[in-house]
Amino acid sequence: ARANIREPRTTASRRTLCDIIKDDQHKMIDLIGDIHGHADKLEELLLKLGYAKINGTYSHPERKVLFVGDYIDRGPKIRETLQIVRAMVDSENAIALMGNHEYNALCFHFQETEGGHLRKHLIKNIIQHYETLKQFQNRQNEYEDYLDWFKTLPLYYETDTFKAVHACWDNNNIELLRKSLVNDRLNDELIYQSVKKGTELNEAIDQTLKGKEMKMPNGLYFTDKDGTKRTEIRIKWWEDPTVMTYKSISVESIDNLPDQSIELSCLKSLDFYSDNDKKVFFGHYWLKGEPILYKENICCLDYSVAKGGKLVAYRLNGETVLDSKNLTYV
């Protein structure tokens, strides 16, 4: 039997993303990175950005927020984080994109027809979702209502001047999603289709929400932040792979990566995000240290708040070229 998840009913879900984008043209945008249940940091950042809590939701007279996903898992105040983000979305003071953790939560809940779940209940997957499940203990209806809400979250956002996505903007993937999704969102049937390995939809969603990866050479591996052994690295999808080395193309700094040219046969595609394309904002990559810009049109907003790092925002004021002075964090 498939998971019995109700169709979403929020105001935002009834409006198309085109409607929301049209309404946003007169407001400036603050883009905020992965929160992972750190509601206190989120409120601190919103106050620093000049938002005030009025009638139960944070708002700004001239601005609105665009959240790039990953609201759940890891942190101490997941329910409170969801309450803040959802209230801002419902009052049209924010747009919230889907992150891989929200997608994973849906797949973890959805049942396969032959038994089990779309996201297997392996120990590593249970541990990743543990904080979320624990904090919703004895609140099953509330949790399932948030699962409904996750399906109202678009997987990408684009205006005339910028783009936003959780992990990776690949133009070919996004075009496929435009044709496949319903108002840029997943429904039940699409979620079931999306887990079928090797399909175009599976590849597009996987890269959009989790980024592009490639195998490490010569049987090398590293241990990630959760202690999991990895043989693939997350790559900088905005760099031309034909002129990069294994070390320089890796988003993460990994000591045993060789500084040698990439074996291009390891890549599924040689496409990369052009310097001439629109400004693009994303999260996902657990960066460390002081927030910086990768390029004049490339901005990652995830600086590991769930591992003692920073919660980061970029204040977009209509500039043509990104400016590091517009990065704000707590």
Side-chain angles (χ1 to χ4, degrees), residues 282-298:
F282 52 95
H284 187 63
Y285 290 101
W286 295 86
L287 302 183
K288 298 175 183 178
E290 198 73 12
I292 60 168
L293 298 172
Y294 274 114
K295 289 186 174 183
E296 291 182 342
N297 66 334
I298 303 289

Side-chain angles (χ1 to χ4, degrees), residues 63-292:
R63 309 186 70 90
K64 70 190 303 178
V65 168
L66 195 156
F67 296 104
V68 298
D70 278 8
Y71 315 108
I72 64 171
D73 297 337
R74 307 188 190 282
K77 292 188 175 182
I78 292 164
R79 291 179 57 245
E80 294 86 345
T81 297
L82 289 171
Q83 288 163 6
I84 293 167
V85 173
R86 186 173 181 176
M88 292 184 70
V89 171
D90 286 349
S91 62
E92 300 193 2
N93 288 297
I95 302 131
L97 301 185
M98 181 180 286
N100 62 302
H101 281 255
E102 289 74 50
Y103 174 76
N104 287 346
L106 287 167
C107 293
F108 192 83
H109 186 75
F110 269 52
Q111 295 175 325
E112 292 181 319
T113 53
E114 66 272 17
H117 295 80
L118 298 186
R119 181 170 171 81
K120 306 302 181 187
H121 287 195
L122 304 175
I123 293 172
K124 69 180 184 68
N125 294 341
I126 293 170
I127 289 172
Q128 186 181 80
H129 292 302
Y130 176 74
E131 281 299 329
T132 300
L133 298 173
K134 184 177 75 171
Q135 291 174 42
F136 277 99
Q137 186 175 5
N138 300 321
R139 300 174 183 272
Q140 187 69 33
N141 289 339
E142 182 185 350
Y143 180 58
E144 292 192 16
D145 188 55
Y146 276 115
L147 290 171
D148 284 350
W149 182 68
F150 292 166
K151 292 189 295 179
T152 73
L153 306 178
L155 273 69
Y156 54 87
Y157 183 89
E158 182 176 7
T159 71
D160 292 339
T161 59
F162 76 92
K163 302 175 180 180
V165 69
H166 180 64
C168 171
W169 191 290
D170 178 284
N171 287 316
N172 293 326
N173 286 338
I174 298 298
E175 283 308 308
L176 186 140
L177 294 179
R178 286 192 210 278
K179 297 173 184 175
S180 305
L181 303 186
V182 179
N183 290 330
D184 304 320
R185 298 163 172 88
L186 290 165
N187 59 24
D188 291 25
E189 192 59 41
L190 287 167
I191 290 168
Y192 279 95
Q193 292 176 21
S194 73
V195 299
K196 295 176 182 176
K197 295 291 185 184
T199 63
E200 287 186 335
L201 182 63
N202 172 259
E203 292 283 343
I205 290 177
D206 193 66
Q207 290 188 9
T208 299
L209 297 182
K210 301 176 184 179
K212 294 185 179 182
E213 297 185 342
M214 67 176 296
K215 282 195 172 295
M216 297 174 70
N218 305 321
L220 297 179
Y221 69 90
F222 71 101
T223 303
D224 70 11
K225 61 188 177 301
D226 295 319
T228 302
K229 181 179 175 180
R230 301 283 187 184
T231 58
E232 294 189 334
I233 56 172
R234 291 171 171 174
I235 65 171
K236 297 173 182 173
W237 42 269
W238 54 91
E239 298 285 3
D240 180 354
T242 64
V243 297
M244 301 292 281
T245 67
Y246 285 100
K247 186 176 285 291
S248 64
I249 204 169
S250 175
V251 176
E252 299 154 293
S253 179
I254 301 170
D255 292 338
N256 62 340
L257 274 176
D259 199 14
Q260 67 185 51
S261 297
I262 296 164
E263 206 171 303
L264 298 179
S265 60
C266 296
L267 292 168
K268 293 179 180 178
S269 169
L270 298 181
D271 290 342
F272 63 96
Y273 196 85
S274 167
D275 292 350
N276 299 319
D277 211 329
K278 295 177 187 176
K279 301 180 289 290
V280 62
F281 300 88
F282 52 95
H284 187 63
Y285 290 101
W286 295 86
L287 302 183
K288 298 175 183 178
E290 198 73 12
I292 60 168

